[in-house]
Amino acid sequence: MSFSSLPGSSSSTSHPLEPYGWDAGWEAEFAPYEAEGLLSGRVVRVDRGQCDVVTADGPLRADTAFVTPHDPLRVVCTGDWVAVDPGGNPRYVRTCLPRRTAFVRSTSSQRSEGQILAANVDHAVIAVSLAVELDLGRIERFLALAWESGAQPVVVLTKADLVPDPVTLSYLVQDVETTAPGVAVVPVSCLGDGGGLDTLAAIVGGGTSVLLGQSGAGKSTLANALLGEEVMDVQAIRDVDGKGRHTTTTRNLLALPGGGVLIDTPGLRGVGLWDAETGVGQVFSEITELAERCRFHDCAHEAEPGCAVLAAIDAGELPERRLQSYRKLQRENQRIVAKTDARLRAEIRKDWKRKGAMGKAAMEAKRGAHWRS
């Protein structure tokens, strides 16, 4: 592959890696390694200790043996900027440049480890299929991870052609917008006139975007539509539940013809939180704003007097489902963090004991009042 044919490259391009996101900031970060004679590049795919890297000299295959730490969050990942050997066989990745952002989830194992899915991402595009009933709780979970990563989330409602009634479609968009405050919600159809694709292309046209979602959400079809060619394989989904097999099995970084970079990912069955307190707060920003008006600063929004959150639910201003989802994600995130933070575990146990003592005292007071009566 030659860089003269790369998307977005031209005679006016000052650096061959600009179509892949290279900028003055990365140039400054790489300067010390350039002085050592190393070659700059961006990881487009990682596979079993090897990675494909796009460089100013063209694409190459490199070994990651020198950058394989014990910390799983520091391993080489699709989207990383790296310094590689200028020659030799095999070539090695010598270092990774500091990441600007990182999309991380917890693994499904019992080891309480984080798994990095993509690095140096500007937009997290969450694909949600309209072929099945909307799962607002799952959308909130994706959004929490996206906000925590440092990227700007975007929710794409795929297969919008399956909802021909514009009124029904507008209600679905409104439901997701309520679930995703501050986030663009774009219904997209990859059939016919490709409704919504222009809007999405404009969003992802600047910077790097990672495409996320469950299997069968239409990610590969969406990637092909943005790329303008059949690059990703597409498989039919099952009619019974709207799901499909993993079409994409690795994370691949692709330059878009209209500008920008897209990282396609395999379908995610599990989306566990990983130290995402800030992200959860961002997803439920209306609850955190209401909580500031509660009478008690440590209000749990359960039965406390002067709770602004409960008052908003009673007034019909806040759906109770939102509060339940907020509590669920907060508890999950706290458990994940506590597994790796001994001091936090002690604080949680202390808080449990305090609440238990308060509950016991309240029951005894109630029992005493009963006998006195």
Side-chain angles (χ1 to χ4, degrees), residues 29 97 99 122 141 143 158 168 273 321:
E29 289 281 359
L97 300 188
R99 291 164 177 158
D122 301 293
R141 183 177 293 272
L143 288 169
T158 64
T168 301
L273 299 186
R321 187 206 67 79

Side-chain angles (χ1 to χ4, degrees), residues 141 273 277 280 300 302 323-339 344 348 352 355:
R141 183 177 293 272
L273 299 186
E277 180 180 359
V280 172
E302 294 177 351
L323 178 58
Q324 296 298 333
S325 184
Y326 173 65
R327 288 170 175 165
K328 179 180 179 180
L329 293 185
Q330 271 197 322
R331 289 193 300 266
E332 178 183 330
N333 189 67
Q334 192 177 55
R335 286 196 301 270
I336 289 293
V337 175
K339 286 181 180 180
L344 180 60
I348 291 174
W352 285 345
K355 289 182 177 179

Side-chain angles (χ1 to χ4, degrees), residues 68-126:
T68 307
H70 294 295
D71 184 352
L73 297 182
R74 295 175 59 201
V75 299
V76 176
C77 177
T78 302
D80 272 325
W81 287 98
V82 296
V84 299
D85 291 332
N89 186 22
R91 292 191 179 188
Y92 289 93
V93 174
R94 294 296 173 174
T95 191
C96 289
L97 300 188
R99 291 164 177 158
R100 294 178 181 174
T101 62
F103 193 97
V104 181
R105 68 165 179 174
S106 66
T107 62
S108 57
S109 69
Q110 299 300 314
R111 293 179 295 177
S112 304
E113 292 182 347
Q115 178 190 23
I116 180 167
L117 299 182
N120 301 311
V121 172
D122 301 293
H123 296 99
V125 180
I126 302 164

